[in-house]
Amino acid sequence: MADHPHEHEHSPSVKGASVNGPSFQGHGHSHDHGPATPASRRLRAVIAAVLIPFAVAVVAGMVLMWPGRLPAHASTGLGFDQPTVSGRVTATKAAPCDAGAASTASATSATADACSLVSVAITSGKDSGRTVQLTLTPDQTAVYSAGEKVVLDYSPTAPAALQYTIGDADRSMPMAILAGIFALAVVLVGRLRGLAALVALGISFAVLSQFVLPAILKGEDPLRVAVVGGGAIMLMALYLCHGLSARTSVAVIGTMVSLALIGVLGEVFIGLTHLTGNTSDETALVHSLFTGIKLPGLLLAGVIIGSLGVLNDVTVTQASSVWELRAADPTMGARALYRSGIRIGRDHIASTVNTLVMAYAGAALPLMLLFTIANRGVWTVATSEIVAEEVVRTLVGSIGLIASVPLTTFLAALVASHNGRPAAAPASIPAQARTTAAAMATTASATEAGTAGRHRHRR
């Protein structure tokens, strides 16, 4: 594989000189470190021999497990699987809890004047233009004001007075604005590569929504679905963002092996710790609707998918670091490149592992508050299933992350060190620059000759 033609590597104007002639690199950019050596070609052939079958297996897996249409399920009567329409709040006022045409929650324990009567104008669907009166009880934490847009759940089989209930606030506009600001920032800073990253993000979302989630719901093994879907995301995102190059291929192999390690460790320790994966209301509800889903496998799939993004970050960074070290000093061999690259990797490990732990801690903050209130011991809390699930997820992902650093650094050092030596003084270098380099080489030769003569005189 050849490095991507648009990936430029900077080199100083004058690298140095030797007695055999100038080792000089001009002011422009070089695409590689010279012609690939036979060893480099062999290494790249090995990389291709690993990645091409993997890519073929991923494509075959997606074809074989492609979900098609989802199986039907009985309606739960809850808002998430009901039709929805848009609405706009026109007025709100305090009212007795038995007022209004419909109530979105039971009012048996509410006081007579503790509820809110909300008037909502329907703005989409067959009843667009109609205004409905809805009662919100004190146990509902959402507060709505006039002019606010909302999402209404529609139950066509319910009595006319109870067909519409407020499901949620309509967050379409602020979310779209935030997404637009994010996309603009990525493109302004990352330019074409930032645009490629946005396209890769869209592809990742499409793979998750069109393949991974439907395939799991249809009854496929969650582990196999996660491996195939994660492999597809990894291949498309990395090559799209970073180009078809040996550098990217090294990062792909490092990510692939690390994900395999995470999968093995996850399966082993989910079994050893007897985690069922049924620790939330959402999981229980999904399992009740689709009883064929294997919850421990779903937990393992979540570990793999959740580790993919940070693994991509680490492996790409390590591979790029080694290539830049080689660009800065083309005389560095594999051993020197590995030692320098692993020092960078240790800093990356220290910061990223802490990032993973803090991310999971932030997501589980309400749960941690509950355990703090209960005054239970730290070890008792950590070994309870609901917390142990997150602990296993974090530690397994971190072990894979740690393993990816030396593995990717070693592969990158091995491949980069065999990319060949820089070519001597290209013809495009200006005559004055070549003359300067030749003069420096002559001076170096004279200095070395004089030094050798003094050593002989002393002897």
Side-chain angles (χ1 to χ4, degrees), residues 21-25 421-427 429:
S23 176
F24 184 87
Q25 292 186 349
R421 301 298 183 188
I429 296 176

Side-chain angles (χ1 to χ4, degrees), residues 122-146:
I122 301 173
T123 56
S124 68
K126 68 180 184 65
D127 291 327
S128 180
R130 173 185 167 190
T131 298
V132 294
Q133 304 289 328
L134 306 173
T135 301
L136 302 183
T137 56
D139 58 351
Q140 295 179 275
T141 56
V143 177
Y144 302 100
S145 57

Side-chain angles (χ1 to χ4, degrees), residues 101-194:
S103 176
T104 58
S106 174
T108 56
S109 61
T111 58
D113 56 354
C115 293
S116 297
L117 185 62
V118 180
S119 300
V120 181
I122 301 173
T123 56
S124 68
K126 68 180 184 65
D127 291 327
S128 180
R130 173 185 167 190
T131 298
V132 294
Q133 304 289 328
L134 306 173
T135 301
L136 302 183
T137 56
D139 58 351
Q140 295 179 275
T141 56
V143 177
Y144 302 100
S145 57
E148 186 174 353
K149 293 181 178 180
V150 294
V151 176
L152 298 173
D153 293 326
Y154 174 58
S155 302
T157 59
L162 301 174
Q163 286 183 339
Y164 291 99
T165 56
I166 295 180
D168 205 351
D170 187 345
R171 304 180 181 89
S172 302
M173 184 58 67
M175 294 288 286
I177 293 173
L178 180 59
I181 295 173
F182 165 74
L184 182 62
V186 170
V187 173
L188 285 178
V189 177
R191 299 186 180 180
L192 288 178
R193 185 155 296 188

Side-chain angles (χ1 to χ4, degrees), residues 223 227 253-266 304 311 400:
L223 176 58
V227 169
I253 292 178
T255 304
M256 183 175 66
V257 176
S258 301
L259 277 179
L261 176 62
I262 289 173
V264 171
L265 288 176
I304 293 174
L311 272 178

Side-chain angles (χ1 to χ4, degrees), residues 294-386:
K294 302 174 182 177
L295 294 185
L298 185 62
L299 173 60
L300 181 56
V303 172
I304 293 174
I305 296 295
S307 302
L308 182 59
V310 69
L311 272 178
N312 286 345
D313 174 43
V314 171
T315 55
V316 168
T317 300
Q318 285 305 113
S320 295
S321 298
V322 171
W323 252 263
E324 291 303 322
L325 288 167
R326 172 72 172 172
D329 185 358
T331 64
M332 293 180 72
R335 185 186 298 272
L337 286 172
Y338 178 80
R339 287 175 177 173
S340 298
I342 203 67
R343 284 195 292 269
I344 298 172
R346 291 190 186 107
D347 291 337
H348 207 171
I349 287 173
S351 60
T352 308
V353 168
N354 189 60
T355 300
L356 280 175
V357 173
M358 291 300 100
Y360 286 125
L365 198 58
L367 176 64
M368 295 169 67
L369 288 174
L370 286 177
F371 280 118
T372 302
I373 295 171
N375 291 321
R376 298 178 65 179
V378 175
W379 188 248
T380 303
V381 171
T383 54
S384 62
E385 181 173 8
I386 194 169

